[in-house]
Amino acid sequence: MKFILPLILSILLGVANAASAKNSNHLHNARVGLHGMLLFSDGQSLYASHLPMFHAPHDMQLIVRFELANSVNHNKLRNTLVNNSNYWTLSPERFDLTKLAQNEKGIWQFKADLYSDHFERGGTLELPQQNIIVKDVIFRQQLNPDMPKTAEYIRLTPNGVARQFYARIIEGKPGVDHLFWINSASSLMQKFSIEGANTSLSNEEIAHQLNVNPIKVHAYYLEHGDLK
């Protein structure tokens, strides 16, 4: 009997480890796909925000700072994003979003076509087959379909830039992908929250939260359809 119990425990431990490894591999492999991204700039750096959904392989909110390998196109894109009212998106080659989020090997690179407006909704191809070099992961979080009690926003850009971007942390289904920017180089709070996850904030409400003039608040991107 004294030999049977350790044997049973050993078998159970092996089964548990195998199941854990299988689940880990599933989560890793599930995020291989074509991961479109929204592009924006604070006037100094370029940023990309993954366009998420509540199903694999797109069930992760991920925002990164990146550069274009072609410096001329890098500067062109930055200036265009700052001076034009419409946004750009990118359509990349297939890659593993989980690996990018973990940034396992430091700098991450992939190729992508860059579009003015949305690449899946009639956008115009402007810069084909660009080499994207990811420099930093700014924010990452797996989407949670459970509705929270509050809606939380985080600042994505550093202190001192004239265009300070905020993004809503996507939680609760149906969700909303919301980015806006503040035209101010003043020191602003890193994050804020409001009661009620279903609330859509107006520019006036955002200005009140951040204690700025409403004319300094600029809507950038608002998406509900992909997060139903």
Side-chain angles (χ1 to χ4, degrees):
M1 184 70 182
K2 66 179 180 179
F3 298 107
I4 295 177
L5 183 58
L7 178 60
I8 293 174
L9 291 176
S10 178
I11 293 172
L12 291 176
L13 181 61
V15 170
N17 288 338
S20 176
K22 181 178 180 181
N23 183 56
S24 176
N25 289 334
H26 171 71
L27 290 175
H28 175 81
N29 294 329
R31 292 194 177 93
V32 174
L34 194 158
H35 299 291
M37 298 185 179
L38 172 75
L39 307 181
F40 60 97
S41 175
D42 59 13
Q44 296 183 10
S45 298
L46 296 173
Y47 300 85
S49 177
H50 174 235
L51 300 170
M53 302 177 186
F54 277 102
H55 60 78
H58 304 296
D59 56 339
M60 179 180 288
Q61 185 175 12
L62 176 68
I63 302 170
V64 301
R65 184 176 67 86
F66 75 95
E67 296 176 355
L68 296 185
N70 184 312
S71 60
V72 173
N73 288 341
H74 177 98
N75 293 332
K76 175 184 177 181
L77 176 61
R78 181 189 60 205
N79 294 338
T80 299
L81 291 174
V82 168
N83 296 318
N84 291 1
S85 59
N86 63 314
Y87 61 80
W88 283 39
T89 55
L90 65 77
S91 175
E93 62 185 346
R94 290 171 60 86
F95 63 84
D96 189 332
L97 193 69
T98 301
K99 278 190 174 181
L100 173 55
Q102 293 172 345
N103 209 16
E104 293 175 344
K105 297 181 180 180
I107 295 176
W108 181 278
Q109 301 187 41
F110 59 88
K111 286 186 179 293
D113 293 329
L114 275 57
Y115 292 76
S116 56
D117 298 313
H118 201 298
F119 71 96
E120 291 182 321
R121 301 173 186 173
T124 302
L125 177 60
E126 303 282 2
L127 296 173
Q129 289 299 286
Q130 297 299 300
N131 289 314
I132 308 296
I133 305 172
V134 175
K135 306 295 288 186
D136 297 300
V137 174
I138 305 298
F139 179 80
R140 63 182 181 188
Q141 179 169 290
Q142 183 171 343
L143 298 193
N144 181 0
D146 297 332
M147 193 64 69
K149 294 181 179 179
T150 61
E152 296 188 15
Y153 286 81
I154 58 169
R155 179 159 56 87
L156 306 172
T157 45
N159 292 323
V161 296
R163 292 162 56 91
Q164 301 193 55
F165 273 83
Y166 284 80
R168 179 166 174 156
I169 297 177
I170 302 173
E171 292 183 304
K173 187 178 182 181
V176 56
D177 192 359
H178 182 203
L179 280 82
F180 65 86
W181 62 279
I182 308 297
N183 184 16
S184 172
S186 301
S187 179
L188 300 177
M189 64 179 64
Q190 186 66 38
K191 58 183 177 180
F192 67 90
S193 61
I194 58 167
E195 293 294 327
N198 290 322
T199 303
S200 295
L201 287 183
S202 67
N203 286 358
E204 289 72 23
E205 290 170 317
I206 292 171
H208 175 73
Q209 290 287 332
L210 296 175
N211 194 29
V212 298
N213 191 314
I215 66 172
K216 294 182 177 292
V217 182
H218 300 269
Y220 192 75
Y221 184 76
L222 184 66
E223 172 66 34
H224 293 89
D226 286 345
L227 294 164
K228 292 181 179 179

